[in-house]
């Protein structure tokens, strides 16, 4: 069993209204000097195999097919 | 012309769409369920609005991966007209049938109101009954209608006249780039739009500005 963590983030240049709102809220709480906030998503998956190369290629396919919209998002995969 | 309406769990504008298609073409559309892999012989397939699969992950993302979408893609490649409204538009971009993406509204708020649209391209299969430059009224109701495309894609769709409607008169409700409210694919037989033309087709709706869209798509334009 392999655990994989997928992190999906917006590509540079893609407008992130939610990140902007969070940025504003942090400023309102008195946090100083926040350059920019970008909101993303994290997926933790368990893959029923001991073959790390297979797990990585399977998770990559999952990202390309569903977990990320590569028009607007990038993703990274880390295996435990 | 024969039409079909796609039904998926969470889509809730299907009945409005069935009513509009029935009223304008004179015959009811067939309905297609999400698991179907064979689409009946129709000239127009409509994906209505709603919240397919709860809009989990991203709006339209899960619906776009259902078996029925592969079948719709194949029909679109044969030249069958495909119209996606609201969630239907989100599903079409997620399925890769249309360029770009639909992001959270810039205001972060759900918008439900009437806006104005400019008919930017009146020579498509969906807009022939309008005049170029005509300003029409249309309702919108969505949380994620903020059209985004990278600079290269934007240039391409603008250059190819794939932008069919723009929000007009300062009524852009969601922050969409270039005020884009509707786009087609390069071939012009697939149209996605955030506004709801099916909700402005008769006097009881307070107007019928949306009617010409269905009249165009269903070839029921008076000669």
């Amino acid at each position: 069993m392999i655990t994989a963590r997928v992190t999906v983030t917006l590509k540079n240049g893609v407008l992130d209204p939610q990140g902007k709102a969070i940025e504003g809220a942090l400023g309102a709480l008195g946090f100083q000097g926040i350059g920019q906030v970008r909101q993303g998503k994290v997926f933790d998956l368990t893959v029923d195999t001991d073959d790390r190369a297979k797990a990585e290629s399977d998770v990559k396919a999952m990202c390309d097919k569903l977990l990320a919209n590569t028009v607007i998002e990038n993703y990274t995969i880390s295996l435990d | 012309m024969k039409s079909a309406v796609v039904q998926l769990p969470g889509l809730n504008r299907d009945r409005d769409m069935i009513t509009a298609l029935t009223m304008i073409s004179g015959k009811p559309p067939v309905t297609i369920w999400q698991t179907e892999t064979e689409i009946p012989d129709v000239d127009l397939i409509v994906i209505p609005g709603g919240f397919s699969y709860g809009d989990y992950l991203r709006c339209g993302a899960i619906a776009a991966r259902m078996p029925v979408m592969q079948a719709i893609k194949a029909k679109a490649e044969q030249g069958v007209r495909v119209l996606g409204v609201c969630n239907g538009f989100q599903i079409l971009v997620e399925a890769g049938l249309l360029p770009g993406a639909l992001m959270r509204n810039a205001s972060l708020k759900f918008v439900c109101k009437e806006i104005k649209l400019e008919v930017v391209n009146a020579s498509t299969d969906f807009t022939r009954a309008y005049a170029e430059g005509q300003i029409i009224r249309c309702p919108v109701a969505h949380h994620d209608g903020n059209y985004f495309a990278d600079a290269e894609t934007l240039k391409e769709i603008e250059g190819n006249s794939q932008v069919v409607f723009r929000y007009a008169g300062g009524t852009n409700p969601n922050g969409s780039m270039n005020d884009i409210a509707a786009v087609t694919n390069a071939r012009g037989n697939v149209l996605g739009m955030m506004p709801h033309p099916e909700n402005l087709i008769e006097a009881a709706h307070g107007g019928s500005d949306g009617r010409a869209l269905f009249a165009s798509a269903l070839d029921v334009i008076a000669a």
Side-chain angles (χ1 to χ4, degrees):
Chain A
M1 190 84 86
I2 292 172
T3 305
R5 171 162 284 191
V6 173
T7 307
V8 176
T9 51
L10 285 173
K11 288 183 176 174
N12 285 335
V14 175
L15 180 74
D16 179 11
Q18 293 167 108
K20 278 267 171 233
I22 295 163
E23 197 179 301
L26 288 172
L29 284 170
F31 291 101
Q32 304 288 314
I34 307 152
Q36 196 188 25
V37 178
R38 305 280 282 166
Q39 181 176 302
K41 294 188 187 97
V42 170
F43 302 90
D44 288 324
L45 302 97
T46 52
V47 189
D48 195 9
T49 176
D50 292 321
D51 181 344
R52 292 178 69 84
K54 182 180 184 320
E56 180 147 15
S57 73
D58 284 356
V59 174
K60 186 175 183 312
M62 293 175 210
C63 289
D64 288 328
K65 285 193 171 164
L66 180 65
L67 298 180
N69 176 349
T70 54
V71 173
I72 47 169
E73 294 168 329
N74 291 320
Y75 62 84
T76 57
I77 299 167
S78 63
L79 303 182
D80 70 351
Chain B
M1 293 270 284
K2 285 179 281 185
S3 61
V5 171
V6 179
Q7 294 183 313
L8 298 161
L11 289 183
N12 60 6
R13 298 295 191 110
D14 48 329
R15 292 185 64 163
D16 293 10
M17 198 58 84
I18 290 167
T19 302
L21 292 166
T22 307
M23 279 184 66
I24 293 160
S25 72
K27 37 186 179 211
V30 295
T31 55
I32 308 172
W33 183 240
Q34 58 167 342
T35 49
E36 290 185 40
T37 50
E38 296 277 331
I39 307 262
D41 186 23
V42 294
D43 311 288
L44 171 69
I45 301 167
V46 185
I47 311 176
F51 304 86
S52 55
Y53 300 92
D55 279 346
Y56 296 149
L57 187 60
R58 298 176 305 273
C59 296
I62 296 175
R65 275 88 184 162
M66 285 293 123
V68 70
M69 286 309 298
Q70 284 307 318
I72 291 174
K73 208 168 189 169
K75 285 284 184 185
E77 279 160 14
Q78 290 164 23
V80 172
R81 293 172 188 169
V82 179
L83 168 67
V85 170
C86 201
N87 201 205
F89 185 12
Q90 294 164 339
I91 293 168
L92 289 172
V93 295
E94 277 284 345
L97 268 79
L98 290 174
L102 291 150
M103 315 286 295
R104 180 53 49 97
N105 292 346
S107 66
L108 299 175
K109 294 194 173 85
F110 189 97
V111 291
C112 181
K113 60 179 179 186
E114 185 178 294
I115 49 84
K116 286 190 165 58
L117 293 176
E118 180 193 348
V119 182
V120 183
N121 181 350
S123 51
T124 76
D125 288 342
F126 302 91
T127 50
R128 285 172 296 129
Y130 293 110
E132 205 131 305
Q134 187 181 346
I135 304 290
I136 64 166
R137 298 160 51 209
C138 205
V140 292
H142 59 253
H143 208 164
D144 298 79
N146 186 347
Y147 187 80
F148 171 87
D150 60 47
E152 199 181 318
T153 307
L154 204 58
K155 201 173 150 194
E156 198 178 304
I157 62 173
E158 291 282 5
N160 290 341
S161 302
Q162 286 172 246
V163 176
V164 172
F165 292 110
R166 277 187 226 280
Y167 301 109
T171 62
N172 183 340
N174 51 36
S176 287
M177 284 178 147
N178 295 12
D179 294 324
I180 292 170
V183 293
T184 64
N185 60 346
R187 184 172 173 177
N189 66 314
V190 179
L191 172 73
M193 61 190 298
M194 287 313 295
H196 287 277
E198 75 278 17
N199 291 139
L200 206 65
I201 57 159
E202 57 175 316
H205 289 156
S208 57
D209 288 9
R211 210 178 166 96
L213 186 122
F214 296 100
S216 304
L218 292 161
D219 286 346
V220 288
I221 307 167

